[in-house]
């Protein structure tokens, strides 16, 4: 068998610098987008990192030249994503499922939980539709969906718990609000919910990889996240977590050849579900996308291993704080007046410019190679660790002096 490593193996990432001050320059070198754009749209769709893009090219070249000859190499690479996720958030690799999008992981739980008529689920208002519609869909099964108001973008744990009663089975919440940027303190939520006998589902797409999460101490029950935002991977690849203790609680609504033990024994297949979260991966995986996400995640893992799990989050909070200062100097008004501290802050900065609509501001930005979104009634800039001082100034300079 031809085992040309240049065809099937992603090249090793250059070593992460030991000097933290040099890390962010090193990271920027992994981002081709930075050559042209001041990119602040990571909360929508992040640009592919260089390693992620290289992985996709390599897969295409290999698949076109060799067909499925290297399928086992691809499979091993895909499974490395499961291991990296487990290492990053301190869970068991058997608790990680590989998914095409965050919504899929949410529906694992929403559709698979053994709901009874009269049960209730608690959800904050202002959630992204993916973490709202699957729960609202349960109303047809007699489940009461309780929407809890936010306080100027903040999700207050006491407000969520005030809606919990003996019928409540689960609280579903985004770790970071996609419009406000408010980051809920997960430890506080999980401890309060579990004391009341309630499970916690976390839509982690706006926070996973950016802020430390240790599932050994923050005992989240279920989690789902795409890789195409802050992880700088492609669309169509992500991860979900279903804790071992809940594996038999959540019914597999979709099953297929990959859901069972000895899944490659096609002619003698028996319906014996796998004893890990991979039972929810019912069919053929997006090999190209998952390998690409694994390549990008290695950047994050390199920094975590060299500098600890807090370094990335501290950097993005510093970058977001610097941007807020520059915008305020130019007369921008911050929306969602929650305190963006080290507990509740994130890389999302939502603001408005007096006298200009968000869509007009975004259009002007594109003309100057600056990328932002329109969310939450304002202009949303989502700042990553590789954004330089010059990037921040280019955005602020769009506001007339």
């Amino acid at each position: 068998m031809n085992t040309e490593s240049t065809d099937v193996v992603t090249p090793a990432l250059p070593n992460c610098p030991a000097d933290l001050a040099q890390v962010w320059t090193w990271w920027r070198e992994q981002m081709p987008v930075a050559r042209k754009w001041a990119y602040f749209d990571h909360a929508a769709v992040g640009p592919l990192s260089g390693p992620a893009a290289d992985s996709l090219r390599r897969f295409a070249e290999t698949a076109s030249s060799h067909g499925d000859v290297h399928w086992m190499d691809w499979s091993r690479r895909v499974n490395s994503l499961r291991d990296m996720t487990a290492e990053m958030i301190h869970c068991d690799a058997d608790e990680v499922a590989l998914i095409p999008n965050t919504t899929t992981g949410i529906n694992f739980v929403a559709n698979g939980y053994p709901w009874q008529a009269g049960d209730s689920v608690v959800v904050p208002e202002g959630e992204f539709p993916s973490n709202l519609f699957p729960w609202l869909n349960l109303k047809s099964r007699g489940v009461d969906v309780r929407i809890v108001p936010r306080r100027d973008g903040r999700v207050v744990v006491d407000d969520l718990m005030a809606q919990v009663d003996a019928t409540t089975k689960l609280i579903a919440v985004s770790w970071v609000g996609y419009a406000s940027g408010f980051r809920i303190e997960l430890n506080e939520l999980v401890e309060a919910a579990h004391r009341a006998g309630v499970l916690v589902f976390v839509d982690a797409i706006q926070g996973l990889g950016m802020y430390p999460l240790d599932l050994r101490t923050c005992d989240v029950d279920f989690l789902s996240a795409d890789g195409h935002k802050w992880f700088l991977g492609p669309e169509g690849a992500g991860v979900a977590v279903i804790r071992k203790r809940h594996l038999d609680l959540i019914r597999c609504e979709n099953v297929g050849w990959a859901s069972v033990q000895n899944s490659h024994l096609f002619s003698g297949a028996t319906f014996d579900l796998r004893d890990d979260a991979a039972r929810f991966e019912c069919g053929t995986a997006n090999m190209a996308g998952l390998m690409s996400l694994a390549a990008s995640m290695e950047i994050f893992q390199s920094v975590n291993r060299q500098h600890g799990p807090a370094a990335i989050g501290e950097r993005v909070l510093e970058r977001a704080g610097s941007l807020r200062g520059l915008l305020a100097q130019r007369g921008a008004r911050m929306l969602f007046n929650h305190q963006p501290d080290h507990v509740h802050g994130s890389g999302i900065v939502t603001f408005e410019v007096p006298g200009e609509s968000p869509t007009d501001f975004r259009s002007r930005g594109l003309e100057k190679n600056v990328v932002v979104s329109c969310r939450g009634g304002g202009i949303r800039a989502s700042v990553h660790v590789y954004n330089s001082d010059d990037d921040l100034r280019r955005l602020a300079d769009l506001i007339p002096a």
Side-chain angles (χ1 to χ4, degrees), residues 12-28:
L13 190 70
N15 289 332
C16 175
D19 180 358
L20 186 58
Q22 297 175 7
V23 168
W24 316 122
T25 300
W26 166 84
W27 194 318
R28 190 174 177 85

Side-chain angles (χ1 to χ4, degrees), residues 247-318:
L247 196 59
D248 291 328
L249 174 69
I250 304 301
R251 173 182 168 83
C252 282
E253 289 293 302
N254 295 303
V255 295
W257 69 267
S259 302
V260 300
Q261 306 276 5
N262 301 313
S263 58
H264 292 282
L265 298 178
F266 306 126
S267 61
T270 58
F271 188 63
D272 181 16
L273 287 175
R274 295 180 57 149
D275 57 3
D276 55 29
R279 64 170 57 176
F280 292 91
E281 302 167 18
C282 57
T284 301
N286 173 13
M287 289 284 200
L290 292 168
M291 286 192 290
S292 176
L293 177 55
S296 199
M297 193 179 288
E298 285 181 339
I299 303 174
F300 293 76
Q301 292 295 74
S302 295
V303 178
N304 289 343
R305 291 166 181 164
Q306 180 80 295
H307 297 283
I312 291 173
E314 289 173 357
R315 167 67 176 183
V316 79
L317 293 177
E318 180 275 322

Side-chain angles (χ1 to χ4, degrees), residues 340-364:
D341 57 22
H342 279 262
V343 176
H344 298 298
S346 73
I348 293 175
V349 178
T350 308
F351 62 98
E352 64 179 8
V353 175
E356 185 170 28
S357 72
T359 53
D360 285 348
F361 184 92
R362 182 177 187 275
S363 295
R364 282 202 304 113

Side-chain angles (χ1 to χ4, degrees), residues 43 124-128 150 153-155 173-184 203-207 211 230 336 338 344-350 375-376 380-382:
E125 72 172 355
E127 288 290 288
F128 193 77
R150 292 176 180 249
R154 293 180 296 130
V155 177
V173 64
S174 291
W175 189 4
V176 176
Y178 79 98
S180 69
F182 180 83
R183 176 162 47 110
I184 193 169
D203 176 346
I205 192 170
Q206 300 288 4
Y211 315 104
W230 302 91
F336 308 110
H338 58 81
H344 298 298
S346 73
I348 293 175
V349 178
T350 308
R375 298 287 192 277
R380 185 187 67 183
S382 40

Side-chain angles (χ1 to χ4, degrees), residues 25-46:
T25 300
W26 166 84
W27 194 318
R28 190 174 177 85
E29 291 168 353
Q30 316 305 319
M31 301 303 301
V33 74
R35 297 167 194 161
K36 175 178 179 179
W37 299 93
Y39 197 93
F40 297 102
D41 210 10
H42 304 91
V45 178

Side-chain angles (χ1 to χ4, degrees), residues 216-230:
R216 296 171 301 185
T217 55
C218 183
D219 196 18
V220 170
D221 297 284
F222 312 103
L223 178 152
S224 184
D226 243 294
H228 73 268
K229 296 184 187 286
W230 302 91

Side-chain angles (χ1 to χ4, degrees), residues 83-91 208-215 231 297-298 300-301 304 309 312:
D83 294 332
M84 280 191 283
T85 302
E87 178 185 344
M88 180 175 289
I89 61 177
H90 303 285
C91 68
L208 192 64
M210 304 305 292
Y211 315 104
L213 178 60
D214 189 336
L215 295 188
F231 269 130
M297 193 179 288
E298 285 181 339
F300 293 76
Q301 292 295 74
N304 289 343
I312 291 173

Side-chain angles (χ1 to χ4, degrees), residues 119-148:
D119 287 345
S120 66
V121 58
V122 173
V123 184
E125 72 172 355
E127 288 290 288
F128 193 77
S130 293
N131 196 41
L132 176 61
F133 294 163
W135 312 111
L136 291 177
N137 195 43
L138 297 173
K139 288 186 174 183
S140 64
R141 296 168 63 177
V143 176
D144 181 22
V145 182
R146 299 172 181 173
I147 309 297
V148 180

